[in-house]
Amino acid sequence: PPSEWRIAASSDDAEENVLDRGMEALDSSDLELGYEDDRTLQTIGCRWAGVPIPRGATITEAWVQFSADSVGNVRHNSDVSVIIAGELSGNPATFSLPAGDISNRPATTASVVWDIPVWPTVHAQGPEERTPDISSVIQELVNQNSWAGTIVLTFRDNPAKPSEGTREAESFDGGASEAPLLHISYQ
C-alpha cells in the first residue's frame, strides 16, 4: 500500500552551508536546493519519524514531493543537480546546530541523481517538484537490522554537474501543510 508522511517538526528539515559546514537554519521558512544566494551552496536534510514500514519490506516506489516556495528570481532558471542519499542509521536523530550535522551523517551506498527542472509556479506540488524514484535508497534503509522507522534523506550538490542556481521549497516552518512529503509504496 502507498503511504505518505510530511515533515512534522521544525528541526526535521534543515540547511547546511557546504563551505564551512555551518548550519544555516533549523527554522527557515524555505529550503534552497542548490544555492541559498549567489555565494552559499547548501546541503539539505529532511527527516521523517514514525514510518511504520516493516523491516525488510520490498520497496516498490518512493519519492519526495516538494512545494515551490518562490520562483521569480533569475537564479531559479539556472541548473540545479543534487544527489539524494539516506542516513545509514537505524534511528537517526533530528537535526541540531553543530557544524556538519547533516554532512557528517553516515550515508547509504545507494543514491539517486536529481536534475531538478525549473519550478514555474509558486505552491506547485507537481511532477517538476517531485524527486525521481528513490526506492533503492529507502530499500537500503529498511533492510538494516537496526531499522526503527525513521528516515533521513540528504540532498547534496552533484559534483559531476555542479549546481548554478536554486530551487526554493517550502519547509515545515514556511507552511506545515506544504512541508516535504515522503511517499513510499511497499509489499
Side-chain angles (χ1 to χ4, degrees):
S3 297
E4 296 182 335
W5 304 269
R6 285 208 185 269
I7 297 288
S10 180
S11 62
D12 281 346
D13 55 17
E15 303 169 304
E16 182 182 286
N17 181 321
V18 169
L19 292 178
D20 64 10
R21 292 184 164 183
M23 192 63 68
E24 289 293 311
L26 290 175
D27 59 358
S28 176
S29 65
D30 57 14
L31 302 168
E32 283 90 4
L33 297 148
Y35 280 89
E36 165 77 26
D37 50 39
D38 292 333
R39 302 171 311 279
T40 309
L41 189 60
Q42 296 197 131
T43 296
I44 302 300
C46 294
R47 178 180 180 268
W48 295 267
V51 177
I53 295 174
R55 185 173 63 82
T58 300
I59 307 302
T60 57
E61 177 185 61
W63 39 261
V64 176
Q65 180 69 61
F66 289 96
S67 175
D69 175 59
S70 178
V71 299
N73 187 301
V74 68
R75 294 178 295 129
H76 297 124
N77 296 321
S78 299
D79 290 341
V80 176
S81 182
V82 296
I83 296 174
I84 305 167
E87 179 183 341
L88 196 57
S89 173
N91 194 17
T94 194
F95 301 109
S96 59
L97 291 176
D101 186 52
I102 298 173
S103 58
N104 288 337
R105 295 176 181 227
T108 53
T109 302
S111 64
V112 174
V113 172
W114 184 21
D115 292 327
I116 308 175
V118 172
W119 295 355
T121 308
V122 173
H123 302 295
Q125 297 179 53
E128 292 88 1
E129 296 82 21
R130 184 179 305 148
T131 69
D133 186 71
I134 56 170
S135 296
S136 61
V137 174
I138 303 301
Q139 188 68 65
E140 187 174 346
L141 297 176
V142 301
N143 284 348
Q144 297 175 93
N145 287 333
S146 59
W147 165 248
T150 298
I151 293 174
V152 166
L153 296 176
T154 58
F155 300 80
R156 304 169 193 257
D157 196 53
N158 180 1
K161 187 178 178 183
S163 295
E164 298 174 0
T166 189
R167 302 294 180 268
E168 292 183 50
E170 288 288 354
S171 69
F172 176 83
D173 292 293
S177 66
E178 292 184 35
L181 176 84
L182 176 63
H183 169 99
I184 302 174
S185 297
Y186 63 96
Q187 299 177 339

